Structures are given as structure tokens and as C-alpha cells.
Amino acid sequence: MYAQTTQLIQREQVGPGYHLLEFDCPQVAAAAQPGQFVHIRVTGDWDPLLRRPFSVMGTNEAEGSFQVLMRTVGRGTQMLAEAQSGTKFDIMGPLGNGFALPGPEGEVVLVAGGIGVAPLIFLATALREPGGSRYIRGLFGARSADDLCCWLEFSGVCDEFNAITEDGSTGEQGLVTDFLPPQLKRGTGCVYACGPALMLAEVARQCEGAEVPCYVSMEQRMGCGVGACLGCVIPTQADGTQRYQRVCKDGPIFDAEVVDWEAIHRGCTPG
Amino acid sequence: MYAQTTQLIQREQVGPGYHLLEFDCPQVAAAAQPGQFVHIRVTGDWDPLLRRPFSVMGTNEAEGSFQVLMRTVGRGTQMLAEAQSGTKFDIMGPLGNGFALPGPEGEVVLVAGGIGVAPLIFLATALREPGGSRYIRGLFGARSADDLCCWLEFSGVCDEFNAITEDGSTGEQGLVTDFLPPQLKRGTGCVYACGPALMLAEVARQCEGAEVPCYVSMEQRMGCGVGACLGCVIPTQADGTQRYQRVCKDGPIFDAEVVDWEAIHRGCTPG
Amino acid sequence: MAAPQVDLSVELAGLSLVNPVLVASGTFGYGTEYGELVDVGRLGGICTKAVTLQPRAGNPPPRICETPAGMLNAIGLQNPGVEVFIGEKMPALREFGVPIIVNVAGESVADYVSLAERLSDCADIAALELNLSCPNVKRGGMQFGIDGELTERVVAAVREATELPLIAKLSPNVTDIASIGEAARDGGADALSLINTLLAMSIDIDRRQPMLANVTGALSGPAIRPVAVRMVWEVAQAVDLPIIGMGGITSAADALQFIMAGATAVAVGTANFVEPGISGRIIDDLEDFCQQAGVACAADLIGAAHGSSDVEGLQ
Amino acid sequence: MAAPQVDLSVELAGLSLVNPVLVASGTFGYGTEYGELVDVGRLGGICTKAVTLQPRAGNPPPRICETPAGMLNAIGLQNPGVEVFIGEKMPALREFGVPIIVNVAGESVADYVSLAERLSDCADIAALELNLSCPNVKRGGMQFGIDGELTERVVAAVREATELPLIAKLSPNVTDIASIGEAARDGGADALSLINTLLAMSIDIDRRQPMLANVTGALSGPAIRPVAVRMVWEVAQAVDLPIIGMGGITSAADALQFIMAGATAVAVGTANFVEPGISGRIIDDLEDFCQQAGVACAADLIGAAHGSSDVEGLQ
Ligand SMILES: Cc1cc2nc3c(=O)[nH]c(=O)nc-3n(C[C@H](O)[C@H](O)[C@H](O)COP(=O)(O)OP(=O)(O)OC[C@H]3O[C@@H](n4cnc5c(N)ncnc54)[C@H](O)[C@@H]3O)c2cc1C
Ligand SMILES: Cc1cc2nc3c(=O)[nH]c(=O)nc-3n(C[C@H](O)[C@H](O)[C@H](O)COP(=O)(O)OP(=O)(O)OC[C@H]3O[C@@H](n4cnc5c(N)ncnc54)[C@H](O)[C@@H]3O)c2cc1C
Ligand SMILES: Cc1cc2nc3c(=O)[nH]c(=O)nc-3n(C[C@H](O)[C@H](O)[C@H](O)COP(=O)(O)O)c2cc1C
Ligand SMILES: Cc1cc2nc3c(=O)[nH]c(=O)nc-3n(C[C@H](O)[C@H](O)[C@H](O)COP(=O)(O)O)c2cc1C
Ligand code: FES
Ligand code: FES
């Protein structure tokens, strides 16, 4: 884990409200594992106060840089979206636990909802590294074609790829979870998912039914990012005991069986 | 009085910690009188919260622009000092009363301390306009040569000009007020002064002794800038009654006789 | 501009306001200071700078300083006194054609009563706002607002003295704001204003002295908004009186927090200094919000965040 | 780096701190979370996250949200309980070699007493900080800190139960903080910590619900600093006990405001989340400030802003 001043070396708009940011940071580039995130301070001042968490989408060890795919939703992302390349940002990372590797058997299915594609691109890239011969299916769902951000990057690291949009503007029409059941039937060894909480809940439900291991990347509003403030918890249950676990430290990747989806349905999501 | 979004069209460093800023704002350029100020919002956000007041140093009616000479002292001025030209700023102005014109008789002496030269440059420029045949002496004091900012602009609009530095690094050595008494003896009709409060107090004392009318430009921390909050007052006395008057509305230019210098010595200055 | 079908009007203490956006006492002078810059006639109403029986010089400067997302002030109720107010300020205020709520401050119950009596004789005053909460004066002011019994006593005495609608303005510098609100209700207040400023202080570390000549000052601005929303929420639950919510409002979204917490109207304070036209922008944006949310009457949003079921936690 | 001649050490409740910069309870976990990023051994001391007798699950999420120059939290005292604290957290905390101040929270006087007794048996605890001021739990917590009598009672009971230095942590959500400080002193506290957080709230206007599942939350960060400085100032005048000042500290300049207001030490809270290394930077900058100001001992600055004569005003 590092905390240091880095430079935004490139910022590219990759869709309406979507930006690909590249930061110069050899330490994070060398250390980051798929599923981990960075915690970015968007200002040198104290308002907005808190750092903003973003999944690492990829690293370039040779260049010493890493990328983040960002959707503009509020004040902090707006500031990042407007930053000139060359701007310095204070970054902590890599943080969180990262994805558990899949077991030796079966194909891997990656289920991405919107901006949730970012850590899955990183994961697929890693799974394909020399020695990795895993067959990877990517399912990428979003509201419309505009929101299928970086689908080329994603499809490029998958062996099979499906785009799904709610409005049918590109690919298949429907929800990404409508297209998961057939995959689960054909020898899938492990599912990885990242996207809106309700999508993850549905993925988890389907995987549980099909008895396929499933890992999800969770979100929660964050304070410290390192496990100290206990601000970022989600409800979990394991071995019959319910408790609150930290997204920043015990996650952001959770075994889908451990997450207390019912409690999450009752309203524990950030917004 | 206007409130509107203007553009910083030029920013030039004119000394260590001094910047000359030029804003595109036809309304202020057309309306501003010497001694008046603008109230600049340094951010689109709410921290730092308050606007910052700056005297107008000059206007260019043809171009529709005006200038401000700024010394970097804290957060707000730092932000302005780093702004790229093209940046938009929300500006209110022109505000305040402006200098009273001198009576018909005698020469005019302008006493500037440091950054206080700004409104006096504007005043001298106005006094020299077609029809103005007033003989103008400029006294410009500062800590050192580095702080004699825009002295060329100032001397260029004076008929006679003296630079005084505390460390003697340029011009005469001493305080600017050491060089005022001889001027007061030779038929000065009116003194205008802008600078640190203690310098103004001394100028006022000398002018009172010599029975020369004197107008000073005062500073105080400001809230609204338009007379509504009563935050920017200084103690004054006239006709035997003491009261608090607003720098933003009743000033920033005050007849030196009206200012309660004793109370100011007791500590009513901003900082 | 939004289409006309949204109804922004609200009823408050017997007043009909065309929209719920007022300007807060002490932050809009007597209206005329902003007349050149602001379309004052669009406002839901104006709360004037506090008026006292006698003229007051106010506190020595420096009177203000900046703090993180906020500011301190210690004006000390500088004002020309009620006679000059009636004679010189009211004529211009009247011209705006909006409800004028006169904020009054006294050092004793008798002061408040005299002020109420005097102002009852003046035409076109919509309501009195009893400032029980000024933290910047040695006598009176906050002393009333931090004490339930005194609050009830002063409100009751003024209630006897005037027919004007009475709005009690509460101090946030208390352990239990709801009980003070109840006291004001028991005294006969028609509405409550909250919050006034938080008692606070900054130190100039170079001069090793307080930043303000008055030593302590009154904190306002966005920094205090979460405290203000909480207090409106608590008082709305405890007291069945309309509330004017304020504290750090800078946008329609902020105003809606107060309204959903239970405020019938809101007042924009410190933000006027930073963006004089802000109240007009908030009115426009409130209309837009209602339109987009399919809300026909803004008044339907009052208290809308109450009653959402508590999320149940683990043991 | 500054030359060594400045003495930053301070004495507090019988403890000798190498410098006056602590980290505030609940913002630095149990030290290890920041171990990789921060040179914890340089700190003046660590105030741990609150410990309760039994493990606590804490409040449901969302537990935090951002506000202007501040944040709300409603953690709800999630912690593994005193036994796990002693068995699993203290060993690592000890390793840092700095004073460990254990923040304790109870629902009853008996809870506080049991905690004090249990922790008295554990080696290397420098002091107890009695959290009388947590606004995020239904029972206990703030209920103690807003009541002078209860404050005195709980402090006195714990005083009987332990030899450890006792630091009473006060709630700012009171009308008269000085009187609560006096009550803690009368109960036998060796020092006071202030301030804990302000009770506050934000509303999500789109969902028309409170931002936090707990409805209300605790406001911290720069936004509250002026309130905190004022309270330290008031308590320093009224109570002759050393004070640990906190609330929105982000720099040595901020820390000096508290020290000059009368604090013997300071604690950095929320700012740790934003800049983990901030406490080290503040220690360095304090040293620089003293050097440049010609101050040999930082302790000489304690209360330095008091006693500057009031500026006299007009009538
Ligand atoms: C582990 C993790 C990984 C993430 N990865 C990505 C990513 O790769 N790309 C991306 O675009 N976004 C990602 N997000 C969401 C991203 O952090 C938020 O969109 C962002 O913080 C919003 O900041 P804002 O200032 O624009 O929004 P505002 O609404 O102004 O933020 C206000 C506060 O709420 C928090 N917040 C708002 N939305 C969220 C959210 N969805 N999750 C957590 N906190 C939130 C902010 O951090 C801030 O503290 C991730 C979140 C988490 C927890
Ligand atoms: C009528 C008037 C005209 C001025 N003209 C000029 C000018 O032409 N050029 C120039 O460089 N400066 C001028 N000043 C001073 C300038 O306003 C301050 O230097 C500036 O506000 C400092 O802001 P900051 O954020 O950098 O400092 P900070 O110290 O961070 O400011 C904190 C707060 O204190 C206020 N403040 C700080 N110093 C002063 C001061 N000296 N006077 C008033 N308020 C202060 C700020 O406005 C702000 O609200 C003028 C001030 C007044 C009142
Ligand atoms: C400079 C200033 C002067 C004020 N004067 C008064 C006053 O005279 N009477 C009063 O009741 N409130 C006064 N207030 C308090 C405001 O009306 C309002 O309650 C408070 O500032 C919170 O709102 P805000 O954060 O939006 O400013 C004053 C506030 C400021 C900033
Ligand atoms: C997330 C969080 C958790 C906290 N937990 C505790 C706690 O367990 N016990 C306690 O006494 N104070 C707790 N506090 C209060 C801080 O110790 C401190 O008093 C307060 O935050 C003000 O300081 P700050 O503004 O620098 O954060 C907590 C604060 C935060 C932000
Ligand atoms: S963000 Fe602080 S514990 Fe996770
Ligand atoms: S700054 Fe508000 S009255 Fe002058």
C-alpha cells in the first residue's frame, strides 16, 4: 500500500460522461491485483473532503502507469473529469483484497454492469497472462450502447463476448442477468461480477442456484479506505453469524455467498 | 453595480508574489471610478466561501477590460495567482464610493505603500485625462525594490515621482511618510493615500497638521461588498459622534479626518 | 424556465408566500442593498436585519472572518433603531411588494414587547421574527433562546402585545432544540425559524489573538447545514408549528433537504454574500425539481423524508 | 527538518508526551491499519477506537456521507469487545511504543466501571478516555455527556475503579460545555478531551430519505473547527484541567489555534482519512513554527491567546 502524489498523464473521454484516466505511478502499477482499487484525493483542499475510490482497470508495468475507467456522477468525479493531464493527484493504493483466483476447473464467466466492467477487464487480462489458458466468457450489460464503455477492451480479453443493452440499442436487448442462466449450465467453473448492487444480487442468486462459485465486487461510501474508520461496511453472513464487514479491507471482492443480499435489498447501498 | 461571469484574459507576474490580472468585463471597464473595487469569487464552490475585494488599477474601455494588481497573501490570492488565462470568474463591481475629486487649487500628492499603488495609478490616470492639467507628485514606498510593483506605470502618470524603500535597495531609503512633510509645505491641494493602516494613520496625522485635505483608501475583511452585512466596518468620528462605517459602501475611500485612527491603532485592522 | 404548472406557494403563520424561499435576517440588509442586483420582488419574503429599540453601534472590527465552508460574524446588532427603521427603511422595503418579516432583538422582555407594540402600528409588516438567539451581544440575544422558560415568557409577552404573526427564531447552541421549540409554541408562537448561528471562534496564530475583536463569533454557511437539517428534523417531529429552515443553504437541493426534514419555508443567508442572485436561482431550480419529480405542489414535499422506515440493524 | 532545539513535549494527566499530537479515537483504528503508511512511533499518542464490554456489530450502512468541509458518520461503536481488544489489539498497539489511550464506551455507569477494572489489569495502557459523547448509539453514549450530573457520577465511579489517568471526552451538543467540564473535574477526571462530534443529518432528496441508515450522524472535519476552538477556549477558562483539543485539525496552524485556545495536546481525527501522514507533517510544522517564532517550548504556547485585552467598542 502506498500513498503518494502521482500525475494524471492522460485523460480521454470514452463515452458520454465516461473517462479513461491514466496515472503515472510505478508502485501501484507494479503491485495492483485485479479487483483492487485506488483511493484518490480530488483536491489539495479540504472540500470535497473525502477521497474517492476507483477500481484499477489495468496496469502498464513497463510505463509505470495504471488506468481507471470513471463515470461522472457528482462533484469529485466531475473534478477528475475536468482535470488537465499533468495535474497532480494524491493517490493511496492498491487497496482491498482483489479477486480470488478461480479453481482449476471450468470456464470463467465475467458479468459486467456498466462501469463495473473496469475491474473485470483487469481480471481477464491477468487470467490470460502467459500460462493462463482459461476460457473466458464476458457478459457486458448497460442501459444503452452509450454506456457500454470500453467494450472493445473487454471483448478483446474475452474468448467469447456478449453485449446486452436495456434499450436494445446495441447487442441483445434485456438485462445482463437474463443471459447468465444458459452460461451457468455449461460447465462454468466460476463467475465474477461487478455492477449495481441489484444486478449483483441477481447474479449471486443464480449462481447459488446453479452451485457455481461467484465473486462480486461491492461498493460502499468510503472514509479511510484502509479499514480504520468502519464506515464502508456491508452486511454479511457466514457460519450462521451476521456481521458488518469492510468493503475497503475485507473486500471489495466478496464471495457472493457471504453477502447478506436480503439486508442489501432493504437499502444498504450507497447513493 | 454588476455581478457577472467574466474571463481572466491575462495574468502576468510583475514581481515576486505580485500579479497583474486583466479581466474582460465591459461593464466594469465603462463604469469603474478610481478608488472603486471589484469583489471576486475565487471558486465556483463554497470553500473558500467569501469573495475577495481588489481595487481597480485601470480600465481599458476600448477593449472592455480592467486590471487588478494583486499580492499573493493567502488561499484566495494563491488561487487567482495560479489561474490560467481563459478561466472564468464571477465578479461584482464596481463597488464602493471612489475618490472624491480634488478641489480646484494646488498640486496633488499621491502616497502609495506597496500594493496600495493600484488605485492611485487609476486615480492619476483619470486626473491626467483631457482637460486635467493637475500637477501630480507620486510617492511610492515599499519594503524593498521587489515590492515597488508597477512603479513604471505609476511614475508614468505622475509629473514628479519618488521611490522609497525601507531597505534602500532602490530609490531613497526610509518610510514613505518620511518624505511627505516637504511636499505638504509646498502648496499641496490634496493628498490621496493607499497602503497599510499604520502608514495611512501617519499620512493622516501629517496632513491634519498641515491642514491639507487627505483621502485614504481603507481595508477591512469583507462579506457582501454591498453594504448589507455590516461586516467590514471601521471606526469613524464626525461632528463629535463615533460610529462604525462600512468600507464597502461608505468607503473604501474616507476623508482622513473622519477615520478614528486611535481606535484603529488599538487593533481594528484586518489580518 | 419551467412551465407554470408547479405550485410553489406555501402557507406559513397565516401568511401566503408565493414561494418558500426567503432571505435570512442580517444577510440581506434592508433589501435595498441588493436591489440593483436581485429581483427582490420574486422572493417569498424578506427577513430584515435585526431591529432594536434604540440605535446600536455594533461591535468593534474585525467583525468577520472566513472558516472552512463557513464564516464567523460578530456584528453585534448594529442597526439604526426601530424609529429610523420605520421611518427610513420600511418605505423602501414596502416597495418590493413581498412579505416583510421584521427581525427584532431586545435585552429584556420589556424591550421585545415595546418593539412589538411599536411595529404593530406600522403598515405592511407581515410578521415579527423574535431573535432569541444572537450570540454576539453581551445582554439579551442568545440568553433567551438557550432557556426554555425565558423563551416561553418572552414569546407569551409579545403575543399579548401584538396581533402580528410571531415567528420565534431559535438558537442551535442548546442541548435540546425540540424542548425550546415546544416552549416557543407554548408561549404562542405561530412559527419557528431555525437555525441561528453556532457560537464559534477562530484564532490568529501569528498575533496570538482571537480573529474577531469580539473574541467569539457566529458560525454560518454550508459548514453548519448538517446541524441545521438535524435540528429542523427534530423540531418538526416534536412541535406542530410551521418551520422556516435555514443554515448553509446554497442550492435548491439544499433547500429541499430542509423542506423534506419538515420546513415549510427556507431562508437563504450567508450565500447571498457570495452569489446575490442565488435566491432567484433556487426558486427556479425548485420549480424544475418539482416538475421533474412530478410534484404538483412544493408543499407536498414538506417533511417527505419522515416516516421512511428505519433500516434494521444487527444486534 | 527542523533543528532539535525546540522542545515539543507536554505533560498531560501525568503522562509525558514527546509531542502534543495524538490521533483521535475512531479515526485511526487500532493503529495497525495505518502502520504501513504512517510512522506511528512518532505520534504523541494514540486514542483507540471505542471499546465496549461486549462486542458490538455497529449500525447498518450507509454509515457515512460527505458534507461541506466535513463528514457524517454513524458507525455505532462497532468493536470486538474488551476481551478481544486486550487479547488481539493491545499486543500490536504496544509495539508502537507510544502512549496508548483507550477510549471506552458504556451503556451504564456499571459498564464504564467494569471496563475500567478490566483494562486496569492490562499492561501498557497509558490512560482511559471516557467516551461520554457518542451521538450514534441509542443507549449510553451522548446521554452521559449532555448531563452534568451523570457526567460527574460516571467519572467518579470510574475514578474509584482504576488508578489509570482518566480523560473525560465531552460532547459539544450542549448548551454550556464549561459546566460539563466542571462536572467531569468534580468527578475526578485528570484531563478533558473535546470535542466529540456534532449531532447532524443529511437528506438524500432523490430518495427522500436520510443519507444514513441511522437517520442522524456525527459531524466531524474542518467544518466544526470553529465550534471546537470556541469550546476549548471556554472550558480552558472555566476548568483547571489539561485539555486535548480536537475537531477539524488539518495542519499545524489549526493545531496551534487549539493550543493557543488552551489545549495542552491536540488530536487529529477525520484528516487521517484524507491524508494518513498528516500527524507527522503537523509535528514537523509545529517544530518549524516554534523555531521561527522563537518559542523554545511548545508548551509555552498553551493558552497564549487568552488574556489579550478585549478591544473596546463604541456604546
Ligand atoms: C471499491 C470501489 C470501486 C469503485 N470503482 C469505480 C470505478 O472503477 N469507476 C467509477 O466510475 N466508479 C467507481 N466507484 C464509484 C465511485 O467511487 C463513485 O462514483 C465516486 O466516489 C463518486 O464521487 P462523486 O464525488 O462524483 O459523487 P458524489 O455523489 O458527489 O459523492 C459524494 C460521496 O459519496 C460517495 N459515493 C458516491 N457514489 C458512490 C458509489 N457508487 N460508491 C461508493 N461511494 C460513492 C463519494 O465517494 C463521496 O464520498 C467505485 C466505488 C468503490 C467503493
Ligand atoms: C477595498 C479593498 C481593496 C483591496 N485592493 C487590493 C488590491 O488592489 N490588491 C491586492 O493585492 N489586495 C487588495 N486588497 C486586499 C485583498 O482583498 C486581500 O489581500 C485578499 O482578500 C486576501 O485573500 P486571501 O484569500 O489570499 O487571504 P486569506 O488570508 O486566506 O483570506 C482570508 C480572509 O481574510 C480576508 N482578508 C485577508 N487579508 C485582507 C486584507 N488585507 N483586506 C481585506 N480582507 C482581507 C479575505 O478577503 C478572506 O475573507 C484590498 C482589500 C480591500 C478591502
Ligand atoms: C452577517 C450576519 C448577520 C446576521 N444577523 C442576524 C440578525 O440580525 N438577526 C438574526 O436573527 N439572525 C442573523 N443572522 C443569522 C442568519 O439569519 C441565519 O440564521 C444564519 O446565518 C444561518 O443561515 P446561513 O448559514 O444560510 O447564513 C446573521 C447572519 C450573518 C451571517
Ligand atoms: C468515523 C469516526 C469514528 C469515531 N469514533 C469515535 C469513537 O469510537 N470514540 C470517540 O470518542 N470518538 C470517536 N470519533 C470522534 C473523533 O474522535 C473526534 O472527536 C471527532 O471526529 C472530531 O475530530 P475531527 O473533526 O478531527 O474528526 C469518531 C469520529 C469519526 C469521524
Ligand atoms: S473506508 Fe474506512 S473502514 Fe473502509
Ligand atoms: S462587506 Fe458587507 S457591509 Fe461591507
Side-chain angles (χ1 to χ4, degrees), chain D:
Chain D
M1 278 299 307
Q5 67 260 34
V6 178
D7 177 9
L8 290 182
S9 70
V10 293
E11 298 285 318
L12 183 114
L15 311 181
S16 299
L17 309 180
V18 294
N19 66 63
V21 182
L22 315 176
V23 284
S25 174
T27 67
F28 210 74
Y30 300 105
T32 48
E33 291 85 349
Y34 280 111
E36 267 182 73
L37 288 176
V38 181
D39 184 358
V40 180
R42 285 196 66 200
L43 292 174
I46 298 176
C47 300
T48 68
K49 171 71 191 161
V51 177
T52 55
L53 268 187
Q54 302 302 324
R56 285 185 66 114
N59 289 329
R63 287 181 174 179
I64 63 174
C65 80
E66 209 177 42
T67 69
M71 66 175 281
L72 299 184
N73 86 77
I75 308 301
L77 297 180
Q78 174 173 348
N79 83 97
V82 69
E83 292 308 328
V84 175
F85 171 78
I86 290 175
E88 294 176 21
K89 304 298 180 185
M90 269 306 291
L93 277 166
R94 244 175 227 123
E95 292 302 306
F96 294 121
V98 306
I100 304 301
I101 298 170
V102 181
N103 186 276
V104 295
E107 295 183 3
S108 64
V109 175
D111 280 2
Y112 283 100
V113 169
S114 306
L115 280 161
E117 285 170 348
R118 184 67 190 90
L119 289 162
S120 300
D121 296 338
C122 175
D124 300 318
I125 292 178
L128 299 184
E129 184 177 53
L130 304 183
N131 181 352
L132 307 172
S133 42
C134 179
N136 294 323
V137 289
K138 294 227 163 70
R139 276 161 311 189
M142 209 174 89
Q143 168 200 317
F144 289 101
I146 61 176
D147 180 328
E149 265 176 60
L150 267 179
T151 297
E152 182 173 343
R153 184 142 33 106
V154 68
V155 175
V158 175
R159 179 71 296 167
E160 295 270 291
T162 183
E163 305 274 278
L164 285 170
L166 288 188
I167 305 167
K169 185 158 178 185
L170 308 187
S171 168
N173 302 292
V174 296
T175 308
D176 182 7
I177 187 84
S179 71
I180 309 283
E182 287 164 354
R185 175 202 58 202
D186 294 345
D190 301 295
L192 303 174
S193 268
L194 57 148
I195 59 173
N196 208 317
T197 42
L198 289 167
L199 189 57
M201 172 171 189
S202 282
I203 290 175
D204 181 333
I205 61 164
D206 294 316
R207 291 164 59 234
R208 301 187 195 175
Q209 273 180 29
M211 275 280 193
L212 303 182
N214 189 54
V215 180
T216 58
L219 181 62
S220 67
I224 70 169
R225 193 194 310 141
V227 174
V229 171
R230 185 266 294 182
M231 289 189 163
V232 168
W233 175 275
E234 284 182 357
V235 173
Q237 273 178 329
V239 186
D240 192 20
L241 285 181
I243 293 171
I244 305 175
M246 73 198 79
I249 293 176
T250 66
S251 67
D254 297 346
L256 283 160
Q257 284 201 52
F258 283 87
I259 292 170
M260 291 181 184
T264 295
V266 297
V268 180
T270 301
N272 289 308
F273 304 156
V274 185
E275 191 184 325
I278 192 160
S279 42
R281 180 162 66 78
I282 291 177
I283 295 167
D284 290 342
D285 292 350
L286 268 181
E287 200 163 346
D288 284 355
F289 178 92
C290 289
Q291 211 141 38
Q292 273 162 39
V295 173
C297 301
D300 294 344
L301 295 172
I302 299 167
H306 285 272
S308 59
S309 65
D310 260 314
V311 179
E312 243 175 82
L314 311 180
Q315 293 340 306

Side-chain angles (χ1 to χ4, degrees), chain C residues 24 64 77 80 91-92 109 122-123 138 158 160 216 249 257 287 295 299 301:
Chain C
I64 63 174
L77 297 181
V109 175
C122 174
K138 294 226 163 70
V158 175
E160 296 270 292
T216 57
I249 293 176
Q257 284 201 51
E287 199 163 348
V295 174
L301 295 172

Side-chain angles (χ1 to χ4, degrees), chain C residues 41 59 89 118 136 175 182 191 195 198 201-202 233 241:
Chain C
N59 290 328
K89 305 296 179 184
R118 184 67 190 89
N136 294 324
T175 308
E182 288 164 354
I195 60 175
L198 288 166
M201 171 171 189
S202 284
W233 176 274
L241 285 182

Side-chain angles (χ1 to χ4, degrees), chain C residues 155-177:
Chain C
V155 176
V158 175
R159 179 70 299 165
E160 296 270 292
T162 182
E163 305 273 281
L164 285 170
L166 287 188
I167 305 168
K169 184 157 178 184
L170 307 187
S171 168
N173 302 291
V174 296
T175 308
D176 182 7
I177 188 84

